[in-house]
Amino acid sequence: MSEATESAGTAAAAGTAESAVSGADGPGSESTPSRWGRDKIVFREMFREEWRLHSELLGGGRFGAFPLLVVGLVAGAVWLLDYTGTAPGAVVAGMHALAFVFGLHTGSIGFIGRDAVGNVLGEMTLLVFSGRTLPLSQGRLLGIFIVKDVCYYAVLFLLPMAVGVAPAALAGAGIGLATIPLLWVTLVTTFVLGIGLTIAGVGLSATGLPGRALLLGLAAGAAAAWYSGVPVVSYTPYGLYLDPGLVSAGASAALILAAYGVGAATFDPQAKPADRSVGPDFRRWLGRVDDPVAAKTLLDVARSSGGFGKVLFSAAVLLGVTAGLVDLAADITGVAPSVGISFGAVLGLTGFTTYNWLTTNDDVESYLAHPIDAETVFHGKLRAFLLLGPAVGLAFYAVGVGLRGTPLAEAVVGAVVLVGVACYVFGLTIYLAGLSPNEFLFDTGLYAAFGAAIALPLIPILVVAFALAPVSVELLAALGLGGVVLGAAGLGLYRRSLPKWGAYHRE
């Protein structure tokens, strides 16, 4: 589908919404809908817009099968984890952690803003950015957009996740069928909490030094409460799943309302930096990395909304989730997992998030006006990734290992595993999706291939980390060798992707 077709379709949706919101006979006519009526119209059109973008971009049939894929993946993962002796409570905790991370990622609209959306989707007017043409404030449009996202992904992604545990429940895996509706509700509210916390965090950080200090203080307070034994999860939607009742429901609702209250008070979707000028930094970056595409890529990230902070934020989320899962697994099973191996394996997934940020601001076509080919563009992306990706992952790995402590051998092997997994994820992503890693997430076929290719090496590593700690010397040697092999496989996939994508972009 061409950009012109996408733009025309989105413009038509915007036009439909504008005419419906303003009234058929103009803003002052008797047919002008009420405020609530306008909100419903915009919500409906946003929902249609979301479905159209995904289905036309990825193919209606393939995208429509995505919920079935999620059911299959969750069912298989739950069965495998139960087979390896993982406690049902740890499985459910992991599902809530995944929903929370997904919410944090969805809330990152506060980081990327309109310019990045335009870079990803082309020249089009999404309804959430139509505040200048619709008689609704940008803040109200953002609120409707969030409600739309919650409803959309609650059905597309979170409901299949909850249904995916049904086969294991029928097989007597320790998860009751009757709890599936509650599981869905708490997954959805966990997703909502993730969105709210991200928007609140972005809003506070945008208010200057006092807001950032408050944000750091709140994060430090939450971490201190967690490590001092305060049952933090009891005040979250996951706590509602563990102990259904009015108290737990009220606590999780209060936390969600507090997050959105802070976000509403501090987040301004129309805010722009006071100084929009930039210095001649390209030559300085080029002198550092000796590759023009890599220099431009890193400079684009630095100058974009959130800068390198969004790369660090993505890694910090994975660090926090890993720490929480390690603690929960230790509480449930009574066996402390290997900190080095578990943190290294999960933080290796920063390879995907880092590559995603490196490709958000451009595409191959934007380079082809210059005397370079697609292979040169991909080589520059590799250079940028190798400079940024492993360094970010290892920095947060050092924080996690430093706080938790782990034997030296496990720490070294965990670092090797992290770099290997990150390079493997990078190579796999670029082989499957080129410079469009976000677009294939809802392409059922590609996502299934990606998920299987990630699970194949990662699940055995995590089983060793969670079930076989302390890890023997023999297993550590095998894991270290496996990390090297994964890194080599990732670079091999990258090399194989060059002729594939080079031919594609020459067509």
Side-chain angles (χ1 to χ4, degrees):
M1 183 182 62
S2 67
E3 284 189 7
T5 304
E6 284 189 24
S7 301
T10 308
T16 301
E18 182 176 0
S19 61
V21 168
S22 300
D25 302 321
S29 68
E30 295 181 359
S31 62
T32 301
S34 65
R35 187 177 187 181
W36 172 244
R38 292 198 300 266
D39 290 349
K40 289 194 296 183
I41 292 169
V42 173
F43 173 83
R44 184 180 66 242
E45 295 302 324
M46 280 188 177
F47 208 91
R48 289 177 177 174
E49 177 185 66
E50 186 83 16
W51 175 263
R52 186 193 60 79
L53 281 173
H54 281 125
S55 60
E56 292 187 9
L57 186 65
L58 305 172
R62 290 179 297 167
F63 177 59
F66 183 76
L68 299 178
L69 173 65
V70 174
V71 171
L73 289 175
V74 172
V78 171
W79 174 84
L80 180 62
L81 290 169
D82 178 67
Y83 179 77
T84 57
T86 305
V91 174
V92 173
M95 294 175 68
H96 282 84
L98 181 60
F100 182 65
V101 171
F102 188 44
L104 292 173
H105 176 74
T106 303
S108 64
I109 185 175
F111 280 130
I112 61 175
R114 180 175 187 159
D115 293 339
V117 171
N119 286 327
V120 173
L121 298 176
E123 293 296 327
M124 58 175 62
T125 304
L126 296 179
L127 291 176
V128 69
F129 298 121
S130 300
R132 294 182 179 179
T133 57
L134 295 178
L136 293 171
S137 68
Q138 189 64 59
R140 195 168 187 85
L141 283 170
L142 180 61
I144 299 172
F145 180 83
I146 292 172
V147 173
K148 178 269 301 177
D149 261 6
V150 170
C151 296
Y152 189 81
Y153 292 111
V155 176
L156 178 75
F157 186 69
L158 299 171
L159 179 60
M161 278 182 64
V163 172
V165 306
L170 291 171
I175 303 175
L177 276 175
T179 64
I180 290 179
L182 176 62
L183 175 62
W184 180 49
V185 170
T186 55
L187 288 175
V188 172
T189 48
T190 300
F191 173 68
V192 172
L193 176 62
I195 296 176
L197 288 177
T198 302
I199 293 176
V202 174
L204 283 173
S205 64
T207 59
L209 187 59
R212 293 170 188 168
L214 177 59
L215 179 62
L216 289 175
L218 291 172
W226 174 278
Y227 285 110
S228 63
V230 176
V232 177
V233 295
S234 299
Y235 304 99
T236 67
Y238 177 58
L240 174 61
Y241 177 84
L242 294 176
D243 183 23
L246 290 177
V247 175
S248 55
S252 59
L255 179 60
I256 292 172
L257 290 175
Y260 280 91
V262 172
T266 59
F267 181 70
D268 182 2
Q270 294 179 304
K272 295 181 179 180
D275 185 5
R276 300 290 292 175
S277 63
V278 293
D281 297 330
F282 178 75
R283 291 189 180 277
R284 185 167 67 250
W285 282 88
L286 181 59
R288 293 172 179 171
V289 302
D290 195 30
D291 184 296
V293 175
K296 178 187 178 300
T297 297
L298 294 171
L299 188 57
D300 283 343
V301 175
R303 288 176 172 175
S304 63
S305 300
F308 287 110
K310 55 181 174 279
V311 181
L312 301 177
F313 174 79
S314 299
V317 168
L318 283 176
L319 174 65
V321 169
T322 308
L325 288 177
V326 167
D327 286 342
L328 284 173
D331 292 340
I332 292 170
T333 64
V335 178
S338 168
V339 171
I341 306 304
S342 58
F343 275 66
V346 177
L347 285 173
L349 297 177
T350 55
F352 178 82
T353 58
T354 301
Y355 180 64
N356 180 47
W357 290 123
L358 291 175
T359 57
T360 296
N361 298 290
D362 56 14
D363 54 25
V364 173
E365 283 71 20
S366 65
Y367 290 94
L368 297 184
H370 305 283
I372 57 176
D373 54 19
E375 288 86 348
T376 303
V377 175
F378 281 92
H379 179 72
K381 296 296 181 180
L382 171 66
R383 290 287 299 274
F385 173 80
L386 291 177
L387 288 169
L388 186 62
V392 169
L394 288 172
F396 281 91
Y397 176 76
V399 172
V401 170
L403 291 175
R404 295 303 184 88
T406 192
L408 179 60
E410 290 189 13
V412 172
V413 172
V416 173
V417 168
L418 186 154
V419 175
V421 170
C423 291
Y424 174 71
V425 170
F426 166 80
L428 177 65
T429 305
I430 205 169
Y431 180 80
L432 291 175
L435 295 190
S436 304
N438 266 332
E439 292 182 9
F440 87 102
L441 285 180
F442 295 108
D443 184 311
T444 304
L446 286 179
Y447 189 79
F450 179 79
I454 291 294
L456 187 63
L458 206 60
I459 287 180
I461 296 173
L462 291 175
V463 168
V464 171
F466 280 85
L468 300 179
V471 183
S472 65
V473 175
E474 293 78 10
L475 280 177
L476 284 176
L479 288 172
L481 178 61
V484 174
V485 171
L486 281 175
L491 295 178
L493 286 169
Y494 159 76
R495 284 192 290 269
R496 293 197 63 180
S497 73
L498 294 180
K500 169 187 173 181
W501 292 109
Y504 174 82
H505 289 289
R506 281 192 294 270
E507 292 178 355

